[in-house]
Amino acid sequence: MTTVPLPNDPYASLRIPEFRYFVTNSFLITATLLIQEVILGYELYKMTRDPLALGLVGLAEAIPFIALSLFGGHLADRYDKKRLLQYSLLVIILGSVILYLAFQPSLVEQLTQTARLAVIYGVLMLIGTAKGFYSPASSSLKPFLVPRALYPNSATWSSSFWQAGAIVGPGVAGFLYNWVGLDNTLIVIIGLLVVCFLLITFIKRRPVPVSDEPLLGFRESLKEGFRFVFSTRIVLYAISLDLFSVLFGGVVAILPVFAEDILKVGAEGLGFLRAAPSVGAVVTMLLMAKYPPTYNAWRNMLLAVAGFGAATLIFSISTNFYLSLVMLALTGAFDSVSVIIRQTILQIFPPDHMRGRVAAVNGIFVSSSNEIGAFESGLAASLLGTVPSVMLGGIVTLVVVAFVYARSRELFDVRLS
């Protein structure tokens, strides 16, 4: 006899085997790609000593992701999501293999710095291409793995595993880089990505959701997804808050500059700095598994984004390593609250046959805030200086919260639980 997890059980979603495979894969792929991102970012800054080179890392991933994500969402609504995840992972594995080969001593001696930069950015564009299909397929598959009553619980745990990966990845990256070197770290990355591929194979294929509405062409299908997002105010404002807060308030991309030039803590210190936001996020999310923030959801989201901006502002003026760690941890803690609320909104409101396209639209907002935000951070640091650019980002975040608060007061009555 099958035991049905109870909605008031904090571990309800984790008692479902396929959901465990899903979140374990989320943890591993997040950690693995962040290990790769950190070591590549550190190599780039050592090679160029230019913050803009770090910003271009985000732009290299964002351009193909944004260009293809809507098409990926269209495919996720029409075809087998599991297969899309597997094919995307194979492309990501190929990119990591190319990186490993490109950093072999025999090739490094033959490549100019420009050629090495071209290989790194080219692989990042390849990974961004794969993520354009992987992200909407993954986001739209998740609601089919748990009962509807467990959507808030599953959103908490999936975010917690993702954030745990975001802790382990940067934290491990600096130590691996120092202990085993760049080449061996890339081998570890390839091995972990293969494990991710195997985990996806344990998830059963799901039938493609059927709608009573007529089958739409690609362009009309995308218009329908955008119409839903822009006509559903709570969805639009939720993803807009994430877009503008992380686009202007994010500091992750230029942390190598803080580690190397301001705090002077080196590669290991960079690992701690990169991991700090996710440490704060995971601690907060574990609390939210027991005390979800979805009762006064919109109030909690606005307060969380405001806290994110304030912590960013304090981080920008800190010259103490430990104070900087605390402020980064607080940015992760506040961000985790908004992530849980946004993910719950995105699981509750879209109809099943439209989940891939809505996930793709959300993915574009998220990618714009993260990857293009990384480019903005690098560019602003180059033009304004590192500290002034981060200060400005924190101030802009607080202004955005005030603006959204004034435009969305009717959403304070919405209950997600």
Side-chain angles (χ1 to χ4, degrees):
M1 182 177 178
T2 303
T3 301
V4 179
L6 299 174
N8 59 354
D9 177 4
Y11 306 100
S13 298
L14 295 179
R15 301 189 194 284
I16 301 173
E18 286 188 304
F19 184 75
R20 291 201 300 270
Y21 301 144
F22 180 87
V23 294
T24 302
N25 168 73
S26 177
F27 165 78
L28 282 178
I29 195 168
T30 301
T32 302
L33 292 180
L34 282 174
I35 291 170
Q36 188 163 266
E37 181 182 321
V38 169
I39 63 173
L40 290 179
Y42 198 65
E43 281 289 310
L44 282 170
Y45 191 64
K46 285 173 58 181
M47 288 166 58
T48 65
R49 311 300 295 184
D50 184 359
L52 184 58
L54 301 175
L56 290 173
V57 170
L59 191 63
E61 279 198 34
I63 290 174
F65 180 91
I66 291 174
L68 294 170
S69 185
L70 290 174
F71 183 58
H74 174 76
L75 293 181
D77 283 336
R78 296 290 180 86
Y79 300 102
D80 181 16
K81 298 172 178 59
K82 174 180 174 179
R83 291 281 182 248
L84 287 173
L85 292 175
Q86 290 176 316
Y87 294 149
S88 301
L89 275 169
L90 287 175
V91 174
I92 293 173
I93 292 170
L94 173 63
S96 297
V97 170
I98 293 172
L99 274 179
Y100 172 75
L101 295 175
F103 279 99
Q104 293 307 296
S106 57
L107 283 177
V108 170
E109 294 174 359
Q110 302 175 33
L111 294 176
T112 63
Q113 177 172 304
T114 302
R116 291 175 68 191
L117 290 173
V119 170
I120 293 172
Y121 290 129
V123 168
L124 290 171
M125 291 188 73
L126 183 65
I127 291 173
T129 299
K131 288 170 69 176
F133 296 95
Y134 181 94
S135 180
S138 177
S139 296
S140 59
L141 175 62
K142 180 172 57 181
F144 294 97
L145 302 179
V146 299
R148 186 179 181 86
L150 298 183
Y151 282 176
N153 183 263
S154 68
T156 299
W157 282 114
S158 61
S159 297
S160 296
F161 273 76
W162 182 88
Q163 291 287 0
I167 291 175
V168 172
V172 167
F175 294 110
L176 280 176
Y177 185 91
N178 282 335
W179 293 344
V180 301
L182 178 64
D183 287 355
N184 290 327
T185 302
L186 291 171
I187 291 175
V188 171
I189 288 168
I190 294 168
L192 291 174
L193 289 173
V194 171
V195 173
C196 291
F197 183 88
L198 295 176
L199 284 169
I200 294 297
T201 64
F202 296 142
I203 297 176
K204 296 176 183 177
R205 296 177 64 181
R206 293 299 194 280
V208 178
V210 178
S211 171
D212 294 332
E213 299 178 6
L215 194 64
L216 300 175
F218 174 58
R219 183 177 297 178
E220 291 74 19
S221 173
L222 295 186
K223 287 181 179 178
E224 185 183 38
F226 272 105
R227 276 197 300 268
F228 175 84
V229 170
F230 282 89
S231 64
T232 311
R233 289 171 63 83
I234 191 168
V235 174
L236 177 62
Y237 282 135
I239 59 180
S240 297
L241 273 173
D242 178 82
L243 168 67
F244 289 106
S245 63
V246 180
L247 178 64
F248 294 106
V251 298
V252 169
I254 56 174
L255 283 180
V257 182
F258 280 91
E260 193 76 4
D261 298 337
I262 297 174
L263 301 173
K264 302 186 184 301
V265 290
E268 289 191 20
L270 173 61
F272 285 113
L273 290 171
R274 284 296 304 266
S278 295
V279 171
V282 167
V283 171
T284 305
M285 285 180 173
L286 290 174
L287 291 172
M288 287 191 292
K290 183 70 174 176
Y291 308 103
T294 50
Y295 181 70
N296 292 305
W298 198 245
R299 180 204 66 183
N300 292 339
M301 188 159 192
L302 289 171
L303 289 174
V305 178
F308 178 90
T312 300
L313 194 56
I314 296 172
F315 170 81
S316 69
I317 60 176
S318 169
T319 56
N320 181 278
F321 178 60
Y322 298 103
L323 177 60
S324 297
L325 284 177
V326 171
M327 289 303 107
L328 287 173
L330 285 176
T331 64
F334 289 123
D335 185 53
S336 67
V337 176
S338 66
V339 166
I340 293 297
I341 296 170
R342 188 177 73 252
Q343 285 201 8
T344 303
I345 289 169
L346 291 173
Q347 288 189 86
I348 288 175
F349 285 90
D352 285 345
H353 71 280
M354 207 184 291
R355 292 189 182 278
R357 283 163 287 169
V358 174
V361 175
N362 176 63
I364 289 177
F365 277 73
V366 171
S367 180
S368 298
S369 62
N370 290 333
E371 277 75 25
I372 294 183
F375 173 70
E376 182 275 334
S377 296
L379 181 62
S382 295
L383 296 176
L384 304 176
T386 302
V387 171
S389 68
V390 177
M391 288 180 65
L392 179 62
I395 293 169
V396 170
T397 299
L398 294 173
V399 172
V400 168
V401 172
F403 175 79
V404 172
Y405 168 77
R407 297 292 298 273
S408 63
R409 295 190 183 185
E410 74 280 4
L411 298 181
F412 280 76
D413 296 326
V414 174
R415 296 288 182 264
L416 304 182
S417 60

